[in-house]
Amino acid sequence: MYKIITLRKGKDQSLRRFHPWVFSGAIVKPSNNITEGDIVKVISAEGEYLGIGHYQIGSIAVRILSFTETEIDDTFWRKRIGAALAMRHDIGIIRADNNMFRLIHGEGDQLPGLIVDIYGAVAVMQAHSVGMHLQRKEIAAALQELIPELQCIYYKSETTLPYKARLDEESGFLMGKPIDFVATENGLRFHIDWLKGQKTGFFLDQRDNRTLLEHYARNKKVLNMFCYTGGFSVYALRGKAIEVHSVDSSERAIDVTQRNVALNFTDAPHHKAYATDAFRYLAEMDNSYDLIILDPPAFAKHRDALHNALKGYTRLNAKAIQKIKPGGILFTFSCSQAVSKELFRLAVFTAAAQSKRFVRILHQLHQPADHPINIYHPEGEYLKGLVLQIE
Ligand code: SAH
């Protein structure tokens, strides 16, 4: 009953290696009765079944949901989302003192095009494909069934769906009503700006790296650059930093940072937050920081921007490495998928060499287990970081 997409001869290799994307160049032009978002069966030029997935107009023509023959029905959604939830239970991240985590990480959970983050009783769902958008209600029903404590499901896809698809209801409540929500990460509380904030409201992917930072913070003067809502700052304060400065260009983010500090510490006179540009702050600051965190937005959203992105990472890191106190620690990150860890390291290497200081790598950081990488889809690896010590 599903419509059929046929591959061109010899274009079946990547699907046979379980890569979940079918590029438009690999398919025979689909018949007119196939529309964007349809569930389609993909077959080889010889007529062999290869997988079932969502069809979309664009360079990725099909995102595979299953490589075995299956119906994409309520049972399917329940099974896939249930498996994702079981994995999060298994890795120990669902606890009273940690009720925020990523439940669905696209290809990493065999659900390409879908992101679901959980903040206590709130689920924030984001579709990156037309197919997931069209099936948002089925997905919401499965979420409700699997997580009965959910009070609200917010759908937030206005920035992630293709503009040309002219879809409606790209954001809104699929269940429940807006509640001002505070969620807990490793015992620290955060206001989650899930209605207007970036992504689904919080950068859950830095949880493990924030824990590491906490252990380095004692007696340090810390600069949290690109702080967003202050995640690293709150951990640094719990880790007994003597002073923490949070910087972000967004006034709104700085406002939430202040609220998050106040939520966790009745008195934190040694925290200050500044709404200003990172490059300007780094150029004007003195040499007194012992620990600097650089967690910029993705500099390369696409491959064509790679060269400039690498220059940006070098420029940013060079400033921090030049000015950090002797013996200082730098936590530096890139969340650009297009920048590999080798290229990122090269950009930081260039920055280090410019400073002429002795620099060593203490840790190599990455995304946490609730942002898993499908081994057949290396593109899913995006967050990388280095912890450096600078003599
Ligand atoms: N470290 C944060 C996430 C950072 S997201 C966390 O753990 O939650 C990147 C942040 O960089 C965003 O909040 C964005 O507002 C900020 N930003 C983007 N361009 C900037 C610039 N030129 N100067 C300062 N901040 C900037």
Side-chain angles (χ1 to χ4, degrees), residues 139-337:
I139 297 164
L143 285 172
Q144 259 181 285
E145 202 180 308
L146 289 161
I147 314 175
E149 347 27 299
L150 279 184
Q151 286 174 25
C152 167
I153 301 175
Y154 184 62
Y155 183 63
K156 190 172 195 265
S157 304
E158 76 271 14
T159 58
T160 59
L161 286 165
Y163 168 73
K164 278 187 284 190
R166 299 189 176 283
L167 304 168
D168 54 7
E169 295 176 56
E170 290 181 347
S171 288
F173 292 91
L174 296 175
M175 194 258 279
K177 284 268 144 8
I179 41 180
D180 179 27
F181 208 77
V182 169
T184 306
E185 185 183 87
N186 289 321
L188 291 165
R189 303 201 304 142
F190 293 96
H191 290 283
I192 308 299
D193 193 5
W194 42 275
L195 280 182
K196 299 232 171 62
Q198 299 209 24
K199 309 267 169 146
T200 66
F202 196 73
F203 288 85
L204 293 163
D205 55 3
Q206 290 286 24
R207 181 183 51 245
D208 292 352
N209 302 330
R210 287 193 271 259
T211 299
L212 184 67
L213 177 277
E214 181 177 352
H215 295 303
Y216 274 95
R218 181 176 286 270
N219 294 333
K220 301 273 166 60
K221 178 173 174 182
V222 177
L223 170 63
N224 181 10
M225 181 55 76
F226 307 99
C227 68
Y228 185 50
T229 53
F232 281 104
S233 307
V234 173
Y235 278 73
L237 289 167
R238 187 168 68 179
K240 302 257 181 305
I242 43 170
E243 215 173 322
V244 178
H245 295 166
S246 305
V247 178
D248 199 286
S249 57
S250 154
E251 299 263 0
R252 188 180 172 92
I254 288 298
D255 180 50
V256 183
T257 295
Q258 303 275 29
R259 288 166 58 209
N260 282 336
V261 169
L263 192 63
N264 289 281
F265 308 97
T266 42
D267 191 24
H270 45 311
H271 175 256
K272 292 196 176 61
Y274 305 98
T276 185
D277 175 70
F279 287 95
R280 186 202 282 172
Y281 190 93
L282 290 167
E284 291 173 1
M285 73 183 193
D286 62 18
N287 297 0
S288 66
Y289 290 108
D290 305 293
L291 203 171
I292 298 177
I293 301 135
L294 296 175
D295 185 22
F299 283 170
K301 293 245 159 53
H302 301 286
R303 286 213 165 266
D304 353 341
L306 192 57
H307 181 67
N308 282 340
L310 291 174
K311 285 211 292 208
Y313 287 119
T314 297
R315 202 154 70 89
L316 186 67
N317 282 278
K319 274 276 168 286
I321 295 172
Q322 273 157 29
K323 291 198 170 182
I324 202 163
K325 248 173 114 171
I329 300 282
L330 175 65
F331 276 64
T332 183
F333 296 96
S334 163
C335 60
S336 304
Q337 188 270 326

Side-chain angles (χ1 to χ4, degrees), residues 3-45:
K3 293 164 192 168
I4 305 277
I5 290 278
T6 307
L7 296 190
R8 293 178 193 278
K9 206 167 170 46
K11 293 287 187 186
D12 53 351
Q13 285 311 314
S14 86
L15 277 190
R16 291 189 193 279
R17 286 192 303 265
F18 306 109
H19 193 287
W21 295 346
V22 180
F23 289 100
S24 56
I27 66 174
V28 175
K29 193 180 176 311
S31 66
N32 289 335
N33 72 340
I34 297 189
T35 53
E36 214 172 6
D38 277 351
I39 297 170
V40 292
K41 252 188 201 185
V42 181
I43 60 169
S44 69

